[in-house]
Amino acid sequence: MPAREQLQEQVNILREQLEKHPELPQEKRDSLIALIAKFEVQLQLEPATQPPSITEDLNQAVGRFELDHPGIAGVLRNIVVTLGGIGI
């Protein structure tokens, strides 16, 4: 599966995780929704034009979700790994 398709699939899984966790505090929910929106914009760009901050943002999000929501953190880690695999 091409990397962009993998990334889009992982974003879709992340959205599903949000739906499965209605107890997620609104602040965390909002930050994840904003991260997903930012990431989807980045998916439209060529890898060479990707800012490194998207990976930093994802790593920070992993830290915020790791303890309370390991499923969400796992999906975020998968996205970071996939980005690394395509040179971002």
Side-chain angles (χ1 to χ4, degrees):
M1 173 182 305
R4 288 194 187 275
E5 286 180 28
Q6 275 184 310
L7 290 170
Q8 187 59 57
E9 183 178 311
Q10 290 168 351
V11 168
N12 293 340
I13 291 170
L14 203 50
R15 287 182 192 278
E16 289 173 13
Q17 289 289 321
L18 274 174
E19 290 176 17
K20 289 181 182 177
H21 295 284
E23 78 285 355
L24 195 64
Q26 192 62 43
E27 180 180 317
K28 283 188 174 182
R29 181 176 292 283
D30 291 345
S31 72
L32 197 53
I33 290 169
L35 183 60
I36 290 170
K38 180 178 179 180
F39 186 70
E40 287 183 320
V41 168
Q42 299 302 313
L43 278 175
Q44 304 306 314
L45 301 175
E46 291 301 315
T49 63
Q50 295 277 349
S53 66
I54 191 70
T55 302
E56 291 171 20
D57 292 346
L58 287 163
N59 281 322
Q60 289 174 357
V62 168
R64 287 192 304 269
F65 289 94
E66 200 158 29
L67 291 176
D68 297 329
H69 302 283
I72 292 173
V75 175
L76 292 168
R77 270 192 229 94
N78 289 341
I79 292 171
V80 170
V81 168
T82 304
L83 286 173
I86 61 174
I88 298 173

